[in-house]
Amino acid sequence: MTSISMGTSRTTAERLATIRGGAKPKRHNARTIAALTRNPGCARRAVLDTAGVDKQRLAAYIDFPARFGQSGFAIARGNAFEAQVKASGAAELVKLLRERLGLPIPEVAYDDLETVTGREKETAEVRYARSRALLLRAAAGEDGAGTLFDHPLLGLDVAGQRVYLEPDLIAFQHEGRFHVVEIKSFAVVDGQADPGKVSAAAIQSAVYVLAMRQMLAEAGHDPEIVAHDVVLVCPRDFSNQPTAVLVDVRKQLAVLRRQLGRMTKVEEMLAVLPPNLCFDLAPDADGVPTRAPEALVDALQTVDARYAPDCLSVCELAYFCRAEARGCTAALGTSAREELGGIERVETALGLAKGELTPADDQAEAATLLRNAARLRAEVLVAAAGAAG
Amino acid sequence: MEALERRIDALRAEIRRSVVARDTARTKGLRAELRIAEQEWEQAISDLAEEAGDPPPAAAGRSSAGSLLPVREQVHHALTLLSVPAAPKLVAEVHAAFFGAAAAGGLAAGKLTHLRRDEKRSFGTAPYARPYYLCAALTAEHLAPARGLVAVSTWPLERRIVGPLSPRVDFLTAAVRVAERAGTVPAGSSTLARLVWRFASNIPGALDIAGRPDTVDPVTVIRAAEAERVVHADADRAHRAAAAERARRQLDQVDQLFGNTLRTLPGKVTRRGGAVSRGNPTVQEKTA
Amino acid sequence: MSTLTALARAEAVAVGQAQRITTVRHLHVADRPLVFIPLSMAGEANAPLAALVGTVPDDPRLLVVPQPRNRDQRFGFAAELAEVLLPYLDSFRGVTEAVAANRGKEVRYRYVDAPQVLVPNSAGIGFVRMFGRSTRFRRTDGDYPVQPSVPLLGQWLTFLADRAEHPGSGMLLAMTEALGLHWATGQSALEDAHLAALLAWIDPADGLSGADAAVVAEDPLRWPPAGPATDPTFDNEMLAPAMAAYQEAVGSGDEVRRSRARGVLEEAVRSQLGPTWELMWRGVSLLRELPVGSRVPGRWAEDRDVFSTFTLYVDGGGYPQPRRDGAVNAAQRLHRLERALQSYAVQRAYDDPLVMADHRLTGEAFVGEVTLADAHRIDDSGKRRVLRPRIQVTTGDVVLVTAGAVLHSPSRPGQKARVVFVTPDPASGRTDVVLELSGGLGRSLSPAPGSVPEVGDRLCYTTLSDSFMPPGEFPSREETPWTHGGPPKAYEEPVEPSVDDAREEWS
């Protein structure tokens, strides 16, 4: 999956380039955008992602390496399954669409949008233009305007910035309605799949639905002609045979729209940050970044983070933020934090529980509960220790 | 020896760390060191084996590599049978089903990419010196090489052009050809039966109720594939003919076989510098 | 998470070590558990890659699949696993005990012990379920014959995975969950799913705080993931080359080379499994050190019952469990699970004052001292004079029960206590609760000795009741209403696997 970032105003773009330190921006894809919605209140993450900083590299350099990475086996399997479903004009997919969505026999046209001219390196502009042209022609309902569009390049506005996305998918058009087809290699066994993987696929597909709707709307078409039902194609049981299920992504669309809309505009975030803020990882002759890790840590600390344990599975910087959040109740998880009355620091919660601290007005209720809890815990543990001794 | 093994382990661990850190330069260096260490280890172990009087464990296993020539023939056979441009994977499967599974390993998809480049070079040096070349299928739209397809140079251009309907038509044609051949093979192998079944399962009406590989009837498959092909055939033929005509007019010999990749065709929009603004594309796509 | 558990987590942060959240162990730990650590191949649907399995800490058996995509090798792995698991299960089929059934009218027999399988985490239970699904329909004849032990293994794995969903059952446990039930760490529940990190908090290495020890434990190079998923860099840098080398060695036809390559591959996967093996047994010893709760043997007896019943089913040639439950079966199962969940929660509270403290905090239970007692009180308001002693309990706990509520005391099962008055005293912060007792008092109009609490006794009263919950009523399977899909379809009933089931394609 590839994409490029462009757009935004000149000064903002310059600002972001400074933050990035001249390196090429990391590319967004549906997964990173879907992940963005997981913690939209985190300014640190929003600034770094918008600027396209290589967070994985940064995290490793300041000695908090992320544990992300994909097994070559998983990648190979995913690619093989996708290729199989798309082989021979997506013959297997056509069969599934005929069975599941009543696609009529004549509707088999297949347009490969991955390459335009067969050249090795094509600019995203060329590919976007062709995707757009073909999809709009289909939206206009022209005769013979195509049915299956493999690898279209789409665009989406994220945090005030235009991002291009390349779904590994086929957009499929039938009777003036588009469906997004997402091919995933996790198995559907007896009609059930790993819920985590299904929901990840659903939110990614929702990103594509949103991007397609945006493209159509910009061209004056009704965006709703892109269906909120996406076609999820997965291997069935333990075989290689594909099966298709319709996944309603309305909820994911609502979440995405809300979170993307709520994400503070990047200009506003930049306004409160030091003008020389920079996460340059440019290497010297030996391949070691020229800036000291401490300088980068200092820079990171100027941007507020909102750490939650969930971050560990979505954000490359999470291990750094976790270390920073040591002693915060948030690091124990949302539910623990709530049970501790929303008190921010662990030592405060414990101080209130032991009656060593006087609660502020808004802590009174929490303090009573905590004191009771501490009393009960101490009472039982003392009794238990007495019984054991 | 043990020191070497410890070193290999340590290097592997370092590589895993540097991969996670996305430190490409360091990873590259470490990998090179690892390769050397592994070679030393290999050498040490075969020295040990020789001391123990075992036969040297090298030499074997290299025979499958061979020259490209037989592979070329294999691909040509399979493509001729299919009669349409096909993806390397299908070519390999057809070859395995009809000409024996032994050769399947020799037809790796990666090898075919090399093969096509090799063929182009050969044609460039001495055009038509060989009776046939393994060449590209061309996209109807840009007459560019179609992604992931191999074709035979002796086929008419019309057959090597792919428009939007062509993948389906070619799939059905291939199904017919494979089923026809399967009907003439006396005791069909299970690989062949599975190949026919795989085609059949994606064509309406081509499978019986049991729907199993061992019950597939080639005649039914042919009838069903023909029935669907008729639906798409005319539109596809017209599209291909027009594009082929254009190719004959606009492309030189090499490009007619291997596709136009180097320059923009006259009558087409220039793409270089065609920046895309937010709302209106400045690039207009005209499709033939 | 309860406030008490959250507080324990906060304490763990401050102390630098995990804190106990129970005073007793709420799980049965077998004398001879079978530890099973499966690894699967990334990207494939539950393709086994390797496993370490065994009942003795210093004698793990390593199973390896050199090419996990190869169907025959997968079933070879299943057969090897069956060689370990089936004899282990059989070893519990010796001595039986008689149990009264159907209100004492009948007698049935159950084994005096049962198997217990321990996996590292809940994903390990998922592996057991999926591997059971992929093996139980296989046939020993036809296109892809497997060894007879393979479908049998599948039935047993499915059985174990089903038991793992049953609250309070101890037949298949995830170590992370077993430990997490008894300790609160200073990290989040999400991080507790990492076995090495969890144990680092419970039992940190010398001189390290739990937090620092957990950070060390998270390094996949030092502590490989406990599976079934492997570390991606292990896959890419170690496993892939070792597999490729093995393939090549097999192709070469050179036996020396092949066995050497297999050795390298085995070492690679062993390096990923060995550390977890140690952790599993450390977990077992930690659990064993806890005193066992008084209701644990009762729940284990239920496990033994179910085990005994299922052995009879399998011996009788019972068909593999269906792919999916029919509507009635599914509803029954859900009802069973709900009852088990409720009873498990109550039993834990009854067994453990620290668990009961959660209920005291929320006002569902209180502990207090008996300040008044009228053991001989007779209620003569009805037709018949009855003994209805009253006691007053004074407590500092929050009391949310109201007059009329019926309470129970864990130390006095079989006796009910109806709330008569609740009188809070704002000045002292204490509450007087007057209770009227019935049941468990003996037959005469004067109470049996010791049946009424005396002044000065300390007691717990709670709304939680451990009494028998009647099973729900469901239509017969044939009478499943059409609204619920009608009578079960073939795949919803246990049936003999068809040729097609066995043929099921494998990637």
Side-chain angles (χ1 to χ4, degrees):
Chain A
M1 227 178 276
T2 54
S3 69
I4 57 156
S5 314
M6 54 179 290
T8 73
S9 75
R10 190 99 199 118
T11 51
T12 304
E14 277 167 9
R15 226 15 239 291
L16 293 174
T18 311
I19 287 173
R20 203 165 51 236
K24 275 192 183 164
K26 276 281 297 164
R27 290 159 170 194
H28 265 296
N29 55 45
R31 203 177 319 136
T32 61
I33 292 176
L36 280 178
T37 63
R38 289 281 283 275
N39 193 355
C42 180
R44 181 177 292 164
R45 175 188 179 128
V47 167
L48 291 171
D49 279 343
T50 314
V53 173
D54 187 340
K55 287 187 298 180
Q56 182 140 1
R57 186 103 177 70
L58 175 64
Y61 184 57
I62 58 173
D63 216 17
F64 287 96
R67 315 273 182 230
F68 298 134
Q70 247 190 313
S71 166
F73 297 125
I75 296 172
R77 161 81 170 145
N79 290 346
F81 182 68
E82 189 189 338
Q84 176 202 324
V85 172
K86 289 178 173 180
S88 299
E92 291 189 345
L93 180 62
V94 165
K95 173 204 162 147
L96 289 171
L97 295 177
R98 283 173 176 176
E99 285 173 1
R100 285 296 156 90
L101 291 170
L103 186 69
I105 298 289
E107 306 282 331
V108 294
Y110 169 89
D111 284 286
D112 181 0
L113 301 179
E114 177 152 354
T115 64
V116 179
T117 58
R119 264 172 255 183
E120 303 246 317
K121 283 186 185 136
E122 283 172 337
T123 61
E125 287 89 341
V126 173
R127 296 195 39 217
Y128 176 70
R130 177 152 184 266
S131 297
R132 194 174 183 280
L134 262 66
L135 291 172
L136 292 183
R137 197 179 61 173
E142 281 180 37
D143 254 7
T147 301
L148 302 166
F149 302 94
D150 187 1
H151 273 111
L153 197 71
L154 305 171
L156 188 69
D157 288 331
V158 178
Q161 185 203 22
R162 168 60 63 103
V163 161
Y164 283 140
L165 307 163
E166 181 188 326
D168 286 327
L169 61 70
I170 291 187
F172 131 82
Q173 182 265 148
H174 167 42
E175 290 178 343
R177 278 185 82 71
F178 285 98
H179 287 265
V180 161
V181 179
E182 178 84 351
I183 301 169
K184 292 282 178 196
S185 61
F186 59 82
V188 174
V189 177
D190 298 337
Q192 295 189 316
D194 181 333
K197 288 176 176 160
V198 174
S199 79
I203 188 106
Q204 280 181 41
S205 309
V207 173
Y208 300 140
V209 170
L210 209 58
M212 270 189 81
R213 285 184 172 178
Q214 187 178 318
M215 174 192 271
L216 292 175
E218 281 168 2
H221 289 283
D222 175 10
E224 297 297 311
I225 64 174
V226 182
H228 56 246
D229 283 330
V230 303
V231 183
L232 180 62
V233 177
C234 293
R236 184 164 53 80
D237 298 341
F238 301 97
S239 75
N240 269 335
Q241 285 184 42
T243 182
V245 279
L246 285 181
V247 181
D248 182 342
V249 298
R250 261 179 294 189
K251 208 181 101 210
Q252 287 80 358
L253 282 170
V255 170
L256 266 177
R257 259 193 237 105
R258 180 156 165 274
Q259 309 274 44
L260 288 175
R262 211 168 64 170
M263 278 176 79
T264 331
K265 289 256 186 288
V266 66
E267 282 88 352
E268 292 165 24
M269 284 188 291
L270 293 175
V272 298
L273 296 176
N276 58 347
L277 182 68
C278 170
F279 298 99
D280 196 353
L281 288 169
D284 61 15
D286 298 330
V288 181
T290 45
R291 291 183 74 196
E294 297 76 33
L296 290 160
V297 169
D298 288 345
L300 277 171
Q301 281 166 344
T302 61
V303 194
D304 283 342
R306 186 184 286 181
Y307 170 78
D310 274 356
C311 295
L312 292 170
S313 57
V314 289
C315 181
E316 294 86 344
L317 272 177
Y319 287 91
F320 172 76
C321 302
R322 181 179 71 175
E324 201 183 41
R326 257 195 202 185
C328 291
T329 56
L332 301 177
T334 326
S335 110
R337 188 194 160 99
E338 278 166 19
E339 289 296 338
L340 294 171
I343 308 283
E344 199 181 314
R345 305 283 312 171
V346 167
E347 69 256 27
T348 317
L350 288 174
L352 290 172
K354 289 179 197 148
E356 293 164 0
L357 290 178
T358 317
D361 286 349
D362 59 342
Q363 294 172 336
E365 200 184 328
T368 310
L369 185 67
L370 286 172
R371 266 201 310 274
N372 270 333
R375 177 182 62 82
L376 286 172
R377 207 175 138 72
E379 176 198 310
V380 174
L381 285 174
V382 166
Chain B
M1 188 90 186
E2 268 166 35
L4 206 50
E5 278 172 356
R6 272 199 301 278
R7 183 167 159 65
I8 287 174
D9 286 346
L11 279 169
R12 287 221 174 96
E14 271 314 296
I15 289 176
R16 290 171 67 185
R17 288 194 201 284
S18 80
V19 165
V20 168
R22 293 225 178 113
D23 195 338
T24 3
R26 187 169 151 68
T27 310
K28 218 167 142 188
L30 288 167
R31 281 199 205 285
E33 281 181 58
L34 177 64
R35 260 196 308 279
I36 293 166
E38 280 175 339
Q39 278 162 7
E40 285 171 12
W41 187 84
E42 285 288 336
Q43 189 53 50
I45 197 108
S46 45
D47 290 351
L48 275 182
E50 261 169 60
E51 278 166 35
D54 291 331
R62 301 278 178 226
S63 58
S64 65
S67 80
L68 282 176
L69 210 73
V71 176
R72 187 171 181 269
E73 304 268 323
Q74 288 168 20
V75 176
H76 183 239
H77 268 133
L79 281 173
T80 306
L81 192 149
L82 288 168
S83 85
V84 289
K89 189 154 183 272
L90 179 59
V91 169
E93 284 165 352
V94 167
H95 191 273
F98 285 100
F99 309 107
L107 277 185
K111 205 171 253 180
L112 278 166
T113 320
H114 278 288
L115 195 60
R116 207 162 82 173
R117 208 170 298 154
D118 203 48
E119 296 279 296
K120 186 171 179 179
R121 201 175 303 128
S122 158
F123 184 87
T125 347
Y128 301 112
R130 296 177 177 180
Y132 67 84
Y133 294 85
L134 299 177
C135 64
L138 309 187
T139 64
E141 198 175 350
H142 295 280
L143 304 177
R147 189 163 59 106
L149 292 177
V150 204
V152 181
S153 62
T154 52
W155 291 346
L157 249 177
E158 282 79 357
R159 206 192 285 179
R160 290 194 294 107
I161 298 269
V162 282
L165 293 172
S166 311
R168 185 70 189 175
V169 171
D170 288 353
F171 167 74
L172 295 166
T173 307
V176 171
R177 299 277 299 190
V178 168
E180 278 172 358
R181 274 297 287 272
T184 65
V185 177
S189 72
S190 70
T191 348
L192 180 51
R194 288 194 60 78
L195 181 64
V196 179
W197 172 82
R198 288 236 321 278
F199 272 107
S201 36
N202 293 319
I203 300 168
L207 281 184
D208 63 358
I209 292 171
R212 292 208 312 265
D214 52 340
T215 61
V216 165
D217 170 28
V219 178
T220 315
V221 177
I222 295 167
R223 202 177 298 135
E226 288 291 5
E228 189 188 329
R229 186 164 68 166
V230 169
V231 177
H232 318 300
D234 287 349
D236 182 52
R237 198 179 301 118
H239 204 134
R240 284 175 155 185
E245 186 47 41
R246 200 153 43 84
R248 275 189 280 270
R249 274 203 326 270
Q250 296 172 343
L251 300 183
D252 62 21
Q253 281 179 347
V254 182
D255 282 359
Q256 279 189 29
L257 289 182
F258 296 99
N260 164 61
T261 56
L262 297 175
R263 59 211 150 69
T264 318
L265 290 177
K268 288 279 154 187
V269 181
T270 305
R271 269 155 211 88
R272 195 150 297 143
V276 185
S277 68
R278 198 69 67 83
N280 308 305
T282 56
V283 179
Q284 267 190 347
E285 285 291 318
K286 246 173 54 185
T287 37
Chain C
M1 186 179 306
S2 70
T3 303
L4 275 154
T5 304
L7 186 67
R9 282 192 187 267
E11 283 172 7
V13 173
V15 177
Q17 188 167 1
Q19 300 293 302
R20 291 273 298 277
I21 47 173
T22 67
T23 61
V24 294
R25 165 158 53 81
H26 293 282
L27 293 168
H28 176 78
V29 179
D31 292 338
R32 199 166 48 91
L34 181 90
V35 170
F36 175 47
I37 310 172
L39 291 185
S40 61
M41 168 95 160
E44 303 291 318
N46 203 243
L49 165 68
L52 219 46
V53 58
T55 54
V56 186
D58 54 11
D59 186 24
R61 175 155 170 192
L62 177 71
L63 312 180
V64 180
V65 188
Q67 184 37 268
R69 289 195 201 89
N70 179 302
R71 183 187 171 103
D72 294 335
Q73 290 189 16
R74 277 193 205 185
F75 290 119
F77 172 91
E80 275 189 77
L81 180 59
E83 270 172 37
V84 182
L85 186 74
L86 297 180
Y88 173 70
L89 298 173
D90 274 340
S91 70
F92 294 94
R93 302 179 57 177
V95 188
T96 57
E97 61 186 13
V99 196
N102 198 8
R103 293 189 199 109
K105 279 180 267 175
E106 288 162 31
V107 170
R108 64 194 164 74
Y109 293 88
R110 72 178 167 213
Y111 294 113
V112 295
D113 203 358
Q116 179 176 55
V117 178
L118 304 174
V119 294
N121 46 37
S122 56
I125 293 176
F127 180 94
V128 169
R129 174 175 301 106
M130 288 294 268
F131 202 55
R133 163 63 182 79
S134 70
T135 47
R136 68 179 189 259
F137 298 115
R138 306 279 77 79
R139 285 170 56 127
T140 50
D141 56 359
D143 277 356
Y144 301 104
V146 297
Q147 297 199 25
S149 62
V150 170
L152 189 58
L153 174 81
Q155 277 185 292
W156 275 109
L157 292 179
T158 306
F159 166 79
L160 289 171
D162 280 349
R163 284 307 287 168
E165 284 181 22
H166 193 91
S169 164
M171 298 194 88
L172 173 62
L173 295 174
M175 185 55 75
T176 49
E177 288 170 8
L179 294 170
L181 190 63
H182 300 97
W183 279 275
T185 65
Q187 61 185 1
S188 67
L190 195 99
E191 291 153 298
D192 284 350
H194 191 297
L195 181 59
L198 176 61
L199 276 164
W201 270 102
I202 295 174
D203 189 11
D206 291 338
L208 282 186
S209 74
D212 291 334
V215 167
V216 173
E218 279 173 341
D219 181 350
L221 274 87
R222 285 197 228 182
W223 292 100
T230 47
D231 182 64
T233 65
F234 165 75
D235 281 10
N236 300 344
E237 306 301 331
M238 315 273 289
L239 186 58
M243 274 185 178
Y246 179 78
Q247 275 309 86
E248 209 176 294
V250 169
S252 76
D254 178 341
E255 183 50 29
V256 177
R257 229 181 116 190
R258 194 199 64 83
S259 82
R260 209 174 76 204
R262 191 180 164 99
V264 171
L265 190 60
E266 284 182 358
E267 270 323 297
V269 293
R270 198 192 292 277
S271 74
Q272 298 300 290
L273 288 162
T276 305
W277 180 260
E278 302 296 325
L279 293 179
M280 288 297 283
W281 290 103
R282 238 170 87 195
V284 170
S285 347
L286 283 165
L287 287 170
R288 280 191 178 137
E289 283 168 21
L290 304 176
V292 66
S294 67
R295 284 164 179 83
V296 170
R299 290 199 295 272
W300 182 243
E302 199 187 313
D303 275 331
R304 292 190 283 121
D305 261 334
V306 177
F307 169 68
S308 307
T309 313
F310 194 69
T311 54
L312 286 179
Y313 177 80
V314 173
D315 288 350
Y319 293 132
Q321 299 91 332
R323 292 186 154 75
R324 274 196 264 178
D325 276 336
V328 171
N329 278 354
Q332 276 172 337
R333 181 178 157 73
L334 195 63
H335 178 72
R336 256 197 328 270
L337 294 184
E338 277 167 6
R339 282 172 65 201
L341 182 65
Q342 198 178 333
S343 138
Y344 180 48
V346 173
Q347 290 190 2
R348 273 188 303 145
Y350 274 36
D351 270 359
D352 189 338
L354 201 45
V355 177
M356 188 59 91
D358 280 337
H359 301 283
R360 288 167 67 189
L361 192 62
T362 53
E364 291 165 287
F366 58 86
V367 170
E369 201 171 297
V370 179
T371 43
L372 293 169
D374 181 358
H376 298 277
R377 182 179 168 272
I378 302 291
D379 181 350
D380 51 9
S381 59
K383 280 180 191 161
R384 209 159 54 86
R385 289 158 52 84
V386 285
L387 179 65
R388 287 288 179 265
R390 283 190 174 180
I391 57 170
Q392 175 178 290
V393 180
T394 305
T395 176
D397 289 354
V398 180
V399 177
L400 292 182
V401 296
T402 48
V406 175
L407 307 182
H408 303 265
S409 179
S411 54
R412 301 178 163 264
Q415 192 168 71
K416 287 182 186 171
R418 198 172 54 82
V419 179
V420 188
F421 304 111
V422 179
T423 323
D425 175 8
S428 66
R430 306 182 77 76
T431 307
D432 292 333
V433 184
V434 173
L435 300 166
E436 184 176 296
L437 308 179
S438 62
L441 296 162
R443 296 194 168 272
S444 72
L445 281 178
S446 60
S451 64
V452 177
E454 289 169 24
V455 172
D457 283 357
R458 216 174 141 70
L459 283 170
C460 172
Y461 278 97
T462 172
T463 54
L464 302 178
S465 160
D466 191 20
S467 57
F468 177 75
M469 279 198 304
E473 284 185 17
F474 295 92
S476 75
R477 283 185 286 181
E478 294 68 36
E479 287 161 1
T480 308
W482 64 270
T483 46
H484 292 73
K489 318 215 172 13
Y491 60 83
E492 295 174 337
E493 292 276 17
V495 287
E496 185 177 10
S498 70
V499 176
D500 281 338
D501 285 332
R503 193 190 297 269
E504 187 168 69
E505 257 205 66
W506 280 62
S507 50

